[in-house]
């Protein structure tokens, strides 16, 4: 794409019915600071409030149900207690003029019983285990178990859980919801022929493999409004055992128009090439941008300069940044003033407590 315009990333941006204070998005990042029941804890309000100068915050992945909880200490949005615990988190963001979407993340096969409630089930489109290991607090690193192939009743229940969790998010005060259709979790497990081996209405062809994602989006949009719903996608991603497949681009070119028809407010594409993941072809990203009629952004590989260039060239409307926001609560003002950024402490990304979470220093004047 040629350079056709110059846009100030620090100026407000209109996304559907929301006015964002700037074009910077804080990407969703798992931080594992909830308690064992998936209930948010006090430091989480401070953490998100510190970063509320982002134009939009997309929360860490939040389990829509006990079956959807994969990692140790990730939060949920299926109980009244969890809804109440999210309210001060959202309020801390709103108090500083920020906007925040709840990312709903059903992990599907990316889970282990040691991280789940005793009566929870590890469900997936097909009984295909992830050939890696998962950390558990109680048993350390463990092999992923073979998931239970979802019956029709399980599929109906999972869709209903997304819808209820979205309603719960709005009740907690979130400005909207992002469906996590990326990084190898349940929604992407349905999209991929390597994890979806079904030959019924939910698999066997591109049209059938996208059906679950479209259904979840349709029913969630009907419940909370399309202008409050976005989706994250990771074509060519390799997280949690995902691999490229021959129909990959066809899959997303068929999916996006269906999601657009449902009125979703944004598409958020993952591109972690700068961190060693496979490159998402530039022509494909441009084609996705062209196929989407509303807000489109990419997260995972930008800095200020490359984000500015991507907006100027029309590739994205917003710029998604993750680790930079993690380590720099005042990232927007640091960018604006040209100050040096803190380096993220990778050793504390997923550990409990305030260290590496709420203790990153602000820039000095």
């Amino acid at each position: 794409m040629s350079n056709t315009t110059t846009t100030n990333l620090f100026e407000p941006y209109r996304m559907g019915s929301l006015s964002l204070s700037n074009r910077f998005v804080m990407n969703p990042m798992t931080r594992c600071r909830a308690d064992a029941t998936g209930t948010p804890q006090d430091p989480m309000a401070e953490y998100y409030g510190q970063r509320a100068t982002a134009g939009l915050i997309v929360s860490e992945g939040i389990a829509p149900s006990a079956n959807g909880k994969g990692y140790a200490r990730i939060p949920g949005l299926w109980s009244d207690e969890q809804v109440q615990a999210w309210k001060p988190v959202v309020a801390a963001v709103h108090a500083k003029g920020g906007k925040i979407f709840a990312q709903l993340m059903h992990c599907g096969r990316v889970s282990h019983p040691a991280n789940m409630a005793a009566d929870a089930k590890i469900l997936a489109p097909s009984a295909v285990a992830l050939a890696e290991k998962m950390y558990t607090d109680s048993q350390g690193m463990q092999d992923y178990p073979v998931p239970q192939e979802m019956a029709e009743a399980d599929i109906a229940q999972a869709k209903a859980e997304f819808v209820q969790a979205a309603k719960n998010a709005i009740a907690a005060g979130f400005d909207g919801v992002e469906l996590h259709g990326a990084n190898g979790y349940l929604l992407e497990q349905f999209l991929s022929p390597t994890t979806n081996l079904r030959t019924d209405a939910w698999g066997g062809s591109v049209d059938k493999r996208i059906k679950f994602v479209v259904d979840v989006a349709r029913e969630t949009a009907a419940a909370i409004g399309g202008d409050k719903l976005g989706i994250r996608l990771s074509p060519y991603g390799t997280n949690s055992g995902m691999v490229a497949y021959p129909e990959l681009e066809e899959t997303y070119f068929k999916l996006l128009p269906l999601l657009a028809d449902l009125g979703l407010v944004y598409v958020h594409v993952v591109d972690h090439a700068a961190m060693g993941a496979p490159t998402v072809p530039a022509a494909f990203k441009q084609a996705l941008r062209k196929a989407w009629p509303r807000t489109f952004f990419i997260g995972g590989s930008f800095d200020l300069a490359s984000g500015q260039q991507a907006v100027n060239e029309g590739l994205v409307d917003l710029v998604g940044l993750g680790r930079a926001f993690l380590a720099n609560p005042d990232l927007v003002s640091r960018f604006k003033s040209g100050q040096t950024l803190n380096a993220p402490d990778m050793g504390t990304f997923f550990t409990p407590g305030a260290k590496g979470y709420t203790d990153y220093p602000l820039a000095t004047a």
Side-chain angles (χ1 to χ4, degrees), residues 78-154:
W78 68 83
S79 73
D80 290 341
E81 182 182 12
Q82 291 164 346
V83 172
Q84 294 304 315
W86 277 112
K87 287 182 176 181
V89 178
V90 175
V93 174
H94 288 165
K96 294 187 177 180
K99 302 293 190 294
I100 182 169
F101 272 43
Q103 188 197 65
L104 298 184
M105 179 179 76
H106 192 305
C107 290
R109 71 174 187 160
V110 187
S111 190
H112 190 277
N115 291 336
M116 305 171 78
D119 58 349
K121 299 184 292 186
I122 299 177
L123 300 170
S126 300
V128 180
L130 178 54
E132 299 174 14
K133 291 182 181 291
M134 167 168 267
Y135 173 79
T136 70
D137 280 336
S138 60
Q139 301 172 26
M141 299 299 293
Q142 292 290 314
D143 290 334
Y144 284 100
V146 177
Q148 177 179 322
E149 181 173 307
M150 296 172 77
E152 286 288 341
D154 297 315

Side-chain angles (χ1 to χ4, degrees), residues 131-186:
E132 299 174 14
K133 291 182 181 291
M134 167 168 267
Y135 173 79
T136 70
D137 280 336
S138 60
Q139 301 172 26
M141 299 299 293
Q142 292 290 314
D143 290 334
Y144 284 100
V146 177
Q148 177 179 322
E149 181 173 307
M150 296 172 77
E152 286 288 341
D154 297 315
I155 290 173
Q157 178 179 330
K159 289 193 290 183
E161 289 168 348
F162 273 106
V163 171
Q164 186 59 56
K167 292 179 179 178
N168 290 347
I170 301 304
F174 283 97
D175 298 291
V177 165
E178 177 179 282
L179 298 175
H180 198 344
N183 292 2
Y185 301 122
L186 184 67

Side-chain angles (χ1 to χ4, degrees), residues 25 40 92 95 99 106 186 192 204 245 256 273 276 278 294 315 335 341 357:
V25 178
K99 302 293 190 294
H106 192 305
L186 184 67
S192 172
Y245 48 92
L256 259 63
R294 288 179 285 277
L315 176 61
F335 276 159
L341 302 186
Y357 191 58

Side-chain angles (χ1 to χ4, degrees), residues 133-351:
K133 291 182 181 291
M134 167 168 267
Y135 173 79
T136 70
D137 280 336
S138 60
Q139 301 172 26
M141 299 299 293
Q142 292 290 314
D143 290 334
Y144 284 100
V146 177
Q148 177 179 322
E149 181 173 307
M150 296 172 77
E152 286 288 341
D154 297 315
I155 290 173
Q157 178 179 330
K159 289 193 290 183
E161 289 168 348
F162 273 106
V163 171
Q164 186 59 56
K167 292 179 179 178
N168 290 347
I170 301 304
F174 283 97
D175 298 291
V177 165
E178 177 179 282
L179 298 175
H180 198 344
N183 292 2
Y185 301 122
L186 184 67
L187 293 176
E188 190 177 14
Q189 290 163 29
F190 270 93
L191 295 178
S192 172
T194 63
T195 45
N196 182 350
L197 310 182
R198 304 175 76 100
T199 57
D200 60 1
W202 306 98
S205 69
V206 171
D207 290 330
K208 291 180 178 179
R209 289 198 300 273
I210 66 177
K211 177 175 167 51
F212 182 73
V213 176
V214 174
D215 279 7
V216 170
R218 178 185 298 110
E219 294 175 23
T220 305
I224 67 170
D227 66 333
K228 293 183 175 67
L229 185 63
I231 191 166
R232 194 181 204 210
L233 303 170
S234 59
Y236 289 103
T238 57
N239 192 73
S240 297
M242 293 291 103
V243 295
Y245 48 92
E247 313 93 339
L248 187 148
E249 295 195 6
E250 177 190 355
T251 297
Y252 290 93
F253 287 140
K254 285 188 170 182
L255 178 62
L256 259 63
L258 296 174
L259 297 177
D261 288 346
L262 299 175
L264 271 67
V265 72
Y266 72 69
V267 162
H268 174 189
V269 173
V270 179
D271 181 358
H272 285 149
M275 293 190 289
T279 299
V280 182
F284 180 53
K285 288 187 287 189
Q286 291 163 359
L288 292 176
R289 158 73 271 184
K290 188 175 180 180
W292 187 253
R294 288 179 285 277
T295 298
F296 182 87
F297 61 99
I298 296 172
S301 292
F302 286 125
D303 56 19
L304 179 59
S306 61
Q308 179 71 72
Q309 180 180 354
V311 172
N312 288 347
E313 293 178 350
L315 176 61
V316 298
D317 299 300
L318 306 175
V319 176
L321 297 142
R323 295 179 183 185
F325 267 115
L326 183 155
N328 298 273
D330 53 348
L331 180 64
V332 176
S333 64
R334 284 179 188 250
F335 276 159
K336 188 176 289 187
S337 61
Q339 297 202 49
T340 303
L341 302 186
N342 298 323
D345 177 7
M346 294 182 66
T348 58
F349 279 5
F350 311 114
T351 54

